[in-house]
Amino acid sequence: MRKEYGLAARDLVDTLRYSSIKRRDFLRFCGVTAGLLGLSEAYIPKIAHAIEKGTKRPPVVWLNFASDTGCTESLIKATYPNAADLVLDILSVDYNETIMAAAGQQVEEILQKSLKDGNYILVIEGGIPTKHGYGMIAGKDMMDIAKEFAPKAIAILAVGSCATHGGVPAANPNPSAIKGVSAVLGDAYKGKIVNLDLCPVNVEVLVAVIVNYLLFKKLPELDVYGRPKTFYGQLIHDNCERRAHFDAGRFVERFGTEEEALGYCLYKMGCKGPMTYAPCPKILYNDRISWCIKAGAPCIGCGEQGWTDKFAGFYERLPDVSIPGFKGVEFTADKIGLAAGVATAVGIAAHAIASSKRIKKGGEE
Amino acid sequence: MPKKVQLKYEWNWAYRIEHWVHVASMIILVFTGFYIHWPFCLAKCPYCDFNRFLHFVSMYTLIIGLAIRVYMAFFSRFYADWKDFSIIQNIKGAPEMVAYYTFLKGEHKEYRKYNPLQAFTYLSWAGLIIIQALTGLALYTGDVFGLFSSQSAFGWINRLLGGEGFTRILHFLIMWYFIITAVVHVYMSLLQTLVKRDRTFQSMFTGYKLSSATGKKR
Ligand code: SF4
Ligand code: SF4
């Protein structure tokens, strides 16, 4: 079924007929996307037109590397109308190992054809092992596949934390030396790679970036980490629905308490919202049903570069500090401060006692 | 033999006000900083937003205070003390002071205002206040003095350090440096007062210190 659907270039009318997407739902999707991109209502027909242009849509090649496929999961579970059809057909995903029906030889053919034609939007999900033999598809190192596909892409979207900077698979000790797409492809691709941090990627953001491309033929404005400023420009803490509790000093101290049931601020439970720039409080997840903090869990900072190591432990206020040179020895900043404070107090007391002679002498003069 | 002592006007009003403004803002900063680090009051008492407001206001005060202090170091008509902070001079003098404080030596050279260890500490305070201001502003999402966006001006610091989390840790640890050195500072001034009976401690209130006429002057 899927094979017959996704591969042939078909116009939207067919797509709509086959996949039971209602016109109204489709326009609603266009409206949501316009909102995400900060465009006025007047753009809704233009977005619809850009998506409907049929065969002229650039194909999307979706490569899966070292990850748990959570971003694909996020992609096929989210967004109305009928997410799978919308994303597969309207966005013309020509190749996605996880959800395509084809296998083996067939798949390789599709992939090679896309590569030959070029001009695709390359979506990369997952980190890239930089050691030979640590992650291979069809006998090829993932790193080589990425380098093979990158040059002919019109845009490269690194989706999810694994692809942007390594994410979970790159966490210490990272035996396969996993890196993010930007790090592997190097500076030559700067400005061409859009990093969509978050674990998993927020599919509305992903779709919005692609639609933005269809509409304006360019990528959105990026910040220094290569993330679209529109989505990654604001602190979670500044948009959080529990912020009023923070400001009023109402905190959850422990899970399973009344404070938790009342939905107080999760700052003391290690919430990294004050350190994380991501669109979660605004766009939410799962068709805008919920997101981490709404669901009662502190933000663990998955939208930031360097997560997970940088934000471990997830339920601590500050990440642990390892002392350079002492591997495995970790201190919290609190302990360091306290130790220094105690040492000072002891030092002063000792010094004062030792100085008593001088003080006495001073008194006699 | 009793030494001949005389009253010496050590600190004029500007130095004293400046000192106490620093003390006040530092105490508020440390207190509110600990609160931000771990809000210890519960629902019934003070507000985080007011607490943060105090923190920001005190930091602005401290920054302005430092600017004035630096100006005074060069242009004070009472006593421009920038020469006392000469790093080379102070490196030369430091071993003797360390020896004195560790009881290896009974006496030490007299200095005009600050002995080498003091000079280094105060210099480090000036430098670290600047670093605290920068890291603080990097964590701040408002507008600096209401003029320009703090994030666009100082966000690079977070990237340099590896993220907000690390900026926060650095900011926190430097606070401990201030606490420790401030405690040592108070202890030393009390010690000096007791050993030399020269009213060093009181001089920051009254402005006057006792100075022995026989003391060697540098
Ligand atoms: S739950 Fe987290 S992000 Fe929300 S207000 Fe509290 S600390 Fe900030
Ligand atoms: S709220 Fe925090 S942990 Fe949750 S998805 Fe957003 S950045 Fe990640």
Side-chain angles (χ1 to χ4, degrees):
Chain A
M1 257 298 260
R2 182 59 61 217
K3 186 173 145 244
E4 172 204 325
Y5 258 122
L7 300 179
R10 293 173 302 102
D11 66 13
L12 188 85
V13 181
D14 278 347
T15 310
L16 294 182
R17 192 175 301 134
Y18 281 119
S19 59
S20 74
I21 296 176
K22 291 202 196 79
R23 182 73 187 168
R24 199 198 292 157
D25 285 340
F26 175 66
L27 288 177
R28 189 161 160 234
F29 158 78
C30 296
V32 168
T33 308
L36 280 177
L37 293 170
L39 302 172
S40 76
E41 268 172 53
Y43 270 91
I44 298 177
K46 289 185 189 161
I47 291 176
H49 181 68
I51 296 174
E52 283 171 348
K53 261 193 285 175
T55 48
K56 286 201 198 105
R57 288 175 274 135
V60 173
V61 172
W62 184 298
L63 298 178
N64 268 293
F65 294 144
S67 76
D68 68 351
T69 329
C71 292
T72 303
E73 191 71 17
S74 162
L75 173 84
I76 59 180
K77 285 279 163 62
T79 312
Y80 40 81
N82 197 333
D85 288 317
L86 177 78
V87 170
L88 291 175
D89 298 331
I90 294 177
L91 296 183
S92 179
V93 180
D94 277 3
Y95 179 87
N96 181 328
E97 284 139 2
T98 316
I99 50 181
M100 71 200 312
Q105 187 65 31
Q106 253 177 331
V107 164
E108 288 305 304
E109 271 166 23
I110 299 164
L111 198 55
Q112 290 311 318
K113 182 171 176 301
S114 301
L115 181 61
K116 210 169 96 240
D117 295 348
N119 288 330
Y120 42 80
I121 294 177
L122 181 62
V123 177
I124 297 184
E125 172 185 1
I128 304 180
T130 54
K131 279 192 196 161
H132 172 63
Y134 273 78
M136 303 177 97
I137 299 168
K140 268 193 244 166
D141 269 321
M142 286 168 175
M143 186 162 63
D144 298 336
I145 300 176
K147 284 182 179 159
E148 190 184 346
F149 275 82
K152 281 199 169 173
I154 40 178
I156 302 172
L157 310 186
V159 303
S161 309
C162 308
T164 57
H165 59 82
V168 174
N172 199 20
N174 193 8
S176 37
I178 284 177
K179 286 187 181 151
V181 174
S182 310
V184 167
L185 294 180
D187 283 344
Y189 287 90
K190 218 171 175 199
K192 202 176 163 188
I193 302 177
V194 183
N195 281 328
L196 300 178
D197 282 283
L198 288 175
C199 180
V201 68
N202 191 313
V203 74
E204 290 195 43
V205 172
L206 171 64
V207 171
V209 170
I210 295 180
V211 170
N212 183 80
Y213 188 85
L214 299 179
L215 206 53
F216 299 115
K217 291 282 166 285
K218 66 176 170 84
L219 294 173
E221 202 188 338
L222 304 178
D223 67 9
V224 284
Y225 295 121
R227 312 185 295 190
K229 275 189 184 162
T230 338
F231 299 115
Y232 293 87
Q234 282 188 316
L235 214 50
I236 287 187
H237 186 57
D238 287 346
N239 290 311
C240 179
E241 59 201 55
R242 301 194 182 200
R243 179 57 184 265
H245 291 304
F246 174 89
D247 283 343
R250 293 190 289 262
F251 299 101
V252 178
E253 303 273 334
R254 246 176 345 126
F255 287 126
T257 56
E258 195 190 338
E259 285 79 26
E260 190 202 355
L262 289 169
Y264 284 177
C265 167
L266 295 160
Y267 189 71
K268 289 172 138 178
M269 302 310 295
C271 182
K272 305 297 186 296
M275 312 177 196
T276 308
Y277 288 79
C280 319
K282 285 185 170 168
I283 305 181
L284 291 73
Y285 275 91
N286 300 338
D287 278 336
R288 307 204 172 194
I289 289 170
S290 189
W291 64 297
C292 308
I293 289 173
K294 189 173 182 183
C299 167
I300 57 175
C302 78
E304 282 293 300
Q305 301 264 319
W307 177 83
T308 57
D309 288 348
K310 204 164 85 180
F311 288 105
F314 292 155
Y315 296 107
E316 306 291 334
R317 258 288 291 124
L318 288 175
D320 290 347
V321 194
S322 47
I323 308 291
F326 294 87
K327 227 179 156 198
V329 184
E330 296 219 318
F331 296 98
T332 60
D334 274 319
K335 280 189 197 143
I336 295 175
L338 205 63
V342 170
T344 313
V346 172
I348 286 183
H351 196 269
I353 293 167
S355 300
S356 56
K357 227 182 179 174
R358 276 183 184 171
I359 294 173
K360 235 192 222 150
K361 202 168 134 235
E364 282 158 9
E365 268 176 15
Chain B
M1 181 197 83
K3 281 181 199 156
K4 207 175 137 217
V5 289
Q6 64 193 38
L7 272 181
K8 183 175 160 226
Y9 193 40
E10 182 85 355
W11 309 107
N12 73 342
W13 59 271
Y15 271 102
R16 275 177 285 152
I17 289 180
E18 194 274 338
H19 177 265
W20 290 111
V21 167
H22 266 201
V23 172
S25 47
M26 270 297 179
I27 288 175
I28 296 177
L29 278 165
V30 166
F31 184 83
T32 54
F34 268 118
Y35 190 95
I36 291 168
H37 175 60
W38 191 256
F40 38 81
C41 294
L42 286 179
K44 281 146 223 104
C45 79
Y47 294 88
C48 265
D49 51 353
F50 180 65
N51 182 78
R52 288 168 74 241
F53 169 79
L54 272 182
H55 195 77
F56 302 146
V57 169
S58 315
M59 197 62 209
Y60 280 142
T61 314
L62 194 62
I63 295 170
I64 297 167
L66 178 67
I68 294 173
R69 180 65 181 81
V70 171
Y71 175 86
M72 279 158 64
F74 289 97
F75 303 111
S76 166
R77 271 182 290 164
F78 172 72
Y79 181 72
D81 58 0
W82 63 274
K83 276 192 191 135
D84 295 353
F85 293 102
S86 152
I87 291 179
I88 299 168
Q89 286 288 340
N90 288 324
I91 287 178
K92 282 189 199 143
E96 192 205 14
M97 285 313 296
V98 174
Y100 173 74
Y101 282 126
T102 49
F103 308 103
L104 298 174
K105 222 163 165 251
E107 278 303 325
H108 66 86
K109 214 160 59 178
E110 294 287 325
Y111 291 91
R112 265 198 302 191
K113 267 212 176 10
Y114 321 114
N115 73 47
L117 299 185
Q118 273 177 298
F120 278 132
T121 310
Y122 303 161
L123 211 55
S124 75
W125 283 351
L128 287 174
I129 287 174
I130 293 171
I131 292 183
Q132 279 308 66
L134 290 176
T135 49
L137 287 168
L139 293 168
Y140 186 56
T141 46
D143 291 345
V144 186
F145 290 108
L147 294 177
F148 53 89
S149 147
S150 183
Q151 276 309 307
S152 55
F154 301 104
W156 58 270
I157 296 166
N158 296 324
R159 296 189 284 279
L160 187 78
L161 295 172
E164 264 83 353
F166 293 106
T167 313
R168 194 150 278 179
I169 289 183
L170 186 69
H171 197 73
F172 182 73
L173 291 179
I174 293 175
M175 173 202 69
W176 272 104
Y177 178 84
F178 278 111
I179 296 176
I180 289 167
T181 44
V183 170
V184 173
H185 171 69
V186 174
Y187 168 71
M188 287 300 192
S189 66
L190 283 171
L191 189 72
Q192 169 83 1
T193 311
L194 291 173
V195 172
K196 300 272 155 105
R197 308 283 147 159
D198 62 356
R199 298 192 193 164
T200 294
F201 191 77
Q202 293 90 320
S203 73
M204 209 24 97
F205 298 91
T206 61
Y208 288 95
K209 194 175 155 175
L210 288 179
S211 135
S212 56
T214 54
K216 268 182 274 166
K217 285 271 161 64
R218 181 165 68 100

